[in-house]
Amino acid sequence: MKKNGKKKAGRISRLGDHRFRAWLMVDGTRITKNFLFEEDAVQWLDQRRDALKSGRFAAQRLSETITLGEALERYSREISPRKKTAKAELKSIARLLDALGPLATRPLAMVHTSDISAFVAMRLR
């Protein structure tokens, strides 16, 4: 793809009659996603390009690799100790990690509002 004579990162290909695949290379790794509509593929690719330019892409990739449990543990190591209520917060985080069960092993990018709602509903029973 070219825009204003410059080559743009990524590409969109047709998969059969009704699907499109957008992809781009990031640090030697191909990032892909499939879509029903070409417009959605173009929008996704543009968002990834913007994220790459602004440095947000690394943070997005981190959310795809770090689990909810790891994020809570990191928070308890790096943030909680600096608070006045550190002792109580650390106990709360430990109880939360125990209660989360399999949800703690999911990548942050895969934890949805519905998952949290279901967890809260289960805890309130």
Side-chain angles (χ1 to χ4, degrees):
M1 300 178 138
K2 290 187 176 188
K3 186 176 183 180
N4 298 334
K6 292 185 178 181
K7 187 175 179 184
K8 293 176 81 175
R11 183 177 187 160
I12 297 173
S13 6
R14 184 179 277 278
L15 300 173
D17 291 337
H18 304 288
R19 297 192 51 102
F20 298 88
R21 174 175 289 150
W23 65 270
L24 72 156
M25 297 294 288
V26 178
D27 299 328
T29 302
R30 182 184 293 208
I31 310 296
T32 65
K33 188 165 181 177
N34 296 336
F35 299 90
L36 291 176
F37 302 103
E38 186 175 17
E39 297 81 24
D40 294 337
V42 169
Q43 182 180 11
W44 179 85
L45 195 53
D46 288 342
Q47 289 171 346
R48 293 301 176 270
R49 286 182 190 129
D50 291 342
L52 275 170
K53 288 177 189 172
S54 66
R56 291 187 325 258
F57 193 78
Q60 289 174 349
R61 290 187 64 191
L62 178 62
S63 72
E64 294 169 358
T65 58
I66 190 170
T67 66
L68 177 58
E70 292 168 344
L72 286 168
E73 289 168 357
R74 182 175 173 184
Y75 182 88
S76 67
R77 278 192 321 269
E78 296 177 10
I79 305 299
S80 294
R82 292 188 244 144
K83 295 184 170 187
K84 287 182 181 179
T85 58
K87 194 172 185 178
E89 189 169 89
L90 289 170
K91 285 181 183 179
S92 295
I93 291 172
R95 281 194 314 267
L96 180 60
L97 283 168
D98 288 340
L100 281 172
L103 191 56
T105 61
R106 286 172 105 183
L108 281 177
M110 299 303 293
V111 176
H112 303 285
T113 307
S114 59
D115 299 322
I116 302 300
S117 296
F119 173 75
V120 169
M122 178 196 69
R123 296 288 290 170
L124 292 175
R125 285 185 201 142

